[in-house]
Amino acid sequence: MRIELFEARREDEPTLANLLQLYLHDFTDWAEWDVEADGRYDTFDLDECWDNPARHPYFIVVEGHLGGFAIVDRGSAVSDDADVWDMAEFFVMRKYRRRGVGGEIARRLFALYPGRWEVRQMAGNVSAQAFWRRTIAAWTDGRYDEATPPRGGVMQRFVSG
């Protein structure tokens, strides 16, 4: 299976916004979110992906088809530590899950950004928690720690590279 990772560009913002709707829809399996009056989920400002040099948006492409996206941030989302890589968003479309796509993309991003990492999951997202524990344990030979971030959920911390 051919799995590719491409950095998203500003002109890709509509595509990223569309994928973000699918991503947010997946959260309704465990989060009580509703769509707005226009039938879309309320989303964050994607301009930050291009205006903020600490944000790094990527598209996941599988066999030539969009398969998801990832956004890596420089700086902790839970502390003032600016020297941490944060997996801010990570989405693999259901069609490509449990086929090695997510693990391959995570490994590529960990290699692309060596250093200290934090990866967070929502409390109810037990499948994401299992995925990240398995993926990070394999990447680090089990050398990671786990904590509960201030807003709840689960967070793994480790060093890549």
Side-chain angles (χ1 to χ4, degrees), residues 22-23 26-27 29-30 67 90-102 125 127:
L22 299 172
Y23 174 62
D26 275 3
F27 283 116
D29 285 347
W30 59 87
F90 190 89
F91 172 66
V92 174
M93 293 175 64
R94 290 180 186 201
K95 175 181 181 176
Y96 301 113
R97 292 181 193 164
R98 294 177 179 77
R99 296 176 64 191
V101 172
N125 195 347
S127 61

Side-chain angles (χ1 to χ4, degrees), residues 73-87:
D73 285 349
R74 184 63 164 173
S76 174
V78 299
S79 73
D80 292 329
D81 191 343
D83 198 34
V84 168
W85 293 108
D86 175 62
M87 190 68 75

Side-chain angles (χ1 to χ4, degrees), residues 49-118:
C49 288
W50 295 275
D51 295 342
N52 182 347
R55 296 210 97 184
H56 306 279
Y58 291 91
F59 286 124
I60 300 165
V61 177
V62 182
E63 296 295 333
H65 301 281
L66 276 174
F69 69 91
I71 301 175
V72 175
D73 285 349
R74 184 63 164 173
S76 174
V78 299
S79 73
D80 292 329
D81 191 343
D83 198 34
V84 168
W85 293 108
D86 175 62
M87 190 68 75
E89 314 295 339
F90 190 89
F91 172 66
V92 174
M93 293 175 64
R94 290 180 186 201
K95 175 181 181 176
Y96 301 113
R97 292 181 193 164
R98 294 177 179 77
R99 296 176 64 191
V101 172
E104 175 63 25
I105 293 300
R107 288 187 296 275
R108 288 184 193 182
L109 290 169
F110 297 156
L112 193 58
Y113 298 103
R116 292 183 296 124
W117 273 84
E118 293 176 351

